Amino acid sequence: MALSVQNLYKTFEDQPLLKGVSFQVEQGETVCLLGPSGSGKSTILRIVAGLETPDSGRILWENQDLTGAPAYRRRFGLMFQDYALFPHRSVAENIAFGLRMQNLPRGEVGRQVSRALERVNLAGFGGRRVTDLSGGEQQRVALARALAPNPRLLMLDEPLAALDRTLREALSEELRRILHQAGIPAIYVTHDQEEAFAIGDRLILLHEGQVAQTGVPADVYGRPASPWVARFLGLGNLVEGRVVSSAPLRVETALGTFEPGCPPGSFAAGTPVSLLLRPVRAAVLGAVKDGQPNRIQGTVEDAFFHGDSFRVRLRLDQDRVFAFDLPEAVTPGASVALQLDRDQIICLPAAEPAEIAAPPRSAGAAA
Ligand code: ADP
Ligand code: MG
């Protein structure tokens, strides 16, 4: 394991921000640190970089404790959101800036600048003025500047946030490729789950000062650990219920009875849960629901053609409008019943992660 972040606590002005954050980054891996704005992502990066001191917790690199080490000794690269290139200097001069600190001979600086430009697919751009480049090219120059001193860990703080959506999508694919080619472990911070899915080998979801879930994107999407994670990923079809039978697993909700495709016995009878009804693979039954499990009924609010299916907003009761992708067209205003695929019904613990404990007194406080 390359980087180990252990049990970080940080409070600003009596407001606890980080309440025991731990995660690891393996060699060559790109992890995405994903969380809403204000969840402490930038603070974590600054602590890892050595620009901020945690109240307690440790930063280890290959098992060596760096918690008290000054930033320059860590050899971690950090690329900020507003990457602040010097507008009146050439691309090469901008990239050389980070190398100057290392007191390298002039020829060596030139070689490393060229190599960094090749890494971001901008070979030959060294003589251009930064102001003559497109937004996407400037972004890559900033990345080249961060890569040039050969950091052993690269951290990127919302590097695409200032760009428009189309450019962001194109660049996120390119960033993923560049990071993998560079082979440097990276922490990529974003609040945008699509960007995180596109770039991360692994996701770390931050919620209320703790890690809510980690995993490869497909697993996190397929098995969100909590209703909060599901909602944050844009999976909004959630209904609260109670387990009435453990094996087979059966859940009673305001929308009817469901038999989710979870292993039997994974929830005890009586447990409060939330069901996530995935919007895919439901069959349209017609107008009436007949008490069978995994069926819901509602009124079509809105329906439109969406690629190979029809995206439908279905009003289920006063509080709930759920979205489904249906194989056939339905008419707004119509009352329809759906048979849900049991494997598309996910049972989640209703309660959010347990109460946050106070920072352990014994934890080695940073210097
Ligand atoms: P994120 O990057 O996820 O948006 P940040 O790490 O920037 O979150 O910060 C989260 C919150 O922590 C901020 O909204 C702010 O209230 C507080 N905070 C961060 N840095 C400081 C600081 N240096 N002084 C006081 N409060 C801070
Ligand atoms: Mg931030």
Side-chain angles (χ1 to χ4, degrees), residues 20-21 34 112 120 122 143 147 158 160 182 187 254 273 310 320 322-323 333 353 359:
V21 169
L34 180 63
Q112 295 212 20
V120 300
L122 286 178
L143 181 59
L147 285 170
E158 312 229 18
L160 304 182
I187 306 176
V273 293
F310 293 86
R320 279 172 274 251
F322 283 6

Side-chain angles (χ1 to χ4, degrees), residues 7 47 65 73 86 108 123 138 167 185 187 195 202 213 216 262 275 298 300 326 342:
N7 218 15
I47 290 172
D65 193 335
R73 274 200 39 219
F86 301 112
E108 186 55 28
Q138 291 186 16
L167 193 53
I187 306 176
E195 205 175 301
R202 206 154 52 84
Q213 189 168 8
V216 301
C262 306
L275 293 183
V300 177
L326 300 181
R342 70 192 303 264

Side-chain angles (χ1 to χ4, degrees), residues 19-144:
K19 308 168 193 170
V21 169
S22 302
F23 63 88
Q24 300 180 341
V25 183
E26 308 288 337
Q27 214 32 269
E29 178 186 46
T30 300
V31 302
C32 274
L33 191 56
L34 180 63
S37 183
S39 58
K41 305 181 297 296
S42 297
T43 301
I44 292 173
L45 285 198
R46 286 204 306 275
I47 290 172
V48 172
L51 304 172
E52 183 88 70
T53 313
D55 298 340
S56 65
R58 300 199 303 164
I59 306 294
L60 275 71
W61 178 262
E62 287 171 350
N63 294 322
Q64 190 197 352
D65 193 335
L66 292 182
T67 314
Y72 72 90
R73 274 200 39 219
R74 302 188 184 201
R75 296 209 288 120
F76 298 161
L78 182 55
M79 176 174 160
F80 296 100
Q81 174 180 334
D82 70 357
Y83 36 89
L85 297 172
F86 301 112
H88 301 299
R89 306 229 170 154
S90 71
V91 167
E93 285 166 338
N94 267 279
I95 296 171
F97 178 79
L99 295 168
R100 293 270 148 74
M101 320 276 190
Q102 298 186 331
N103 286 324
L104 296 171
R106 184 179 288 262
E108 186 55 28
V109 169
R111 267 193 295 281
Q112 295 212 20
V113 168
S114 301
R115 207 163 74 94
L117 280 171
E118 277 164 30
R119 275 173 153 181
V120 300
N121 303 322
L122 286 178
F125 277 61
R128 301 223 196 160
R129 274 167 62 121
V130 164
T131 42
D132 293 338
L133 303 182
S134 71
E137 286 164 347
Q138 291 186 16
Q139 196 62 63
R140 275 144 66 195
V141 172
L143 181 59

Side-chain angles (χ1 to χ4, degrees), residues 132-252:
D132 293 338
L133 303 182
S134 71
E137 286 164 347
Q138 291 186 16
Q139 196 62 63
R140 275 144 66 195
V141 172
L143 181 59
R145 183 174 62 183
L147 285 170
N150 273 315
R152 44 191 189 176
L153 173 76
L154 189 61
M155 293 182 277
L156 304 100
D157 195 352
E158 312 229 18
L160 304 182
L163 305 173
D164 68 54
R165 174 122 229 131
T166 324
L167 193 53
R168 213 154 66 218
E169 276 168 18
L171 275 177
S172 62
E173 277 174 40
E174 178 148 7
L175 263 178
R176 180 187 169 80
R177 209 167 42 241
I178 291 170
L179 290 174
H180 279 159
Q181 275 168 4
I184 301 173
I187 306 176
Y188 186 103
V189 160
T190 178
H191 66 271
D192 181 316
Q193 73 270 21
E194 282 178 37
E195 205 175 301
F197 285 142
I199 289 181
D201 299 318
R202 206 154 52 84
L203 306 183
I204 298 166
L205 267 80
L206 203 62
H207 175 50
E208 309 239 305
Q210 290 194 314
V211 174
Q213 189 168 8
T214 70
V216 301
D219 286 351
V220 173
Y221 194 81
R223 286 240 151 249
S226 69
W228 179 85
V229 172
R231 237 177 252 115
F232 184 68
L233 297 179
L235 301 165
N237 298 352
L238 287 161
V239 58
E240 282 155 28
R242 191 167 288 277
V243 176
V244 292
S245 153
S246 171
L249 180 59
R250 191 173 301 134
V251 175
E252 207 70 67

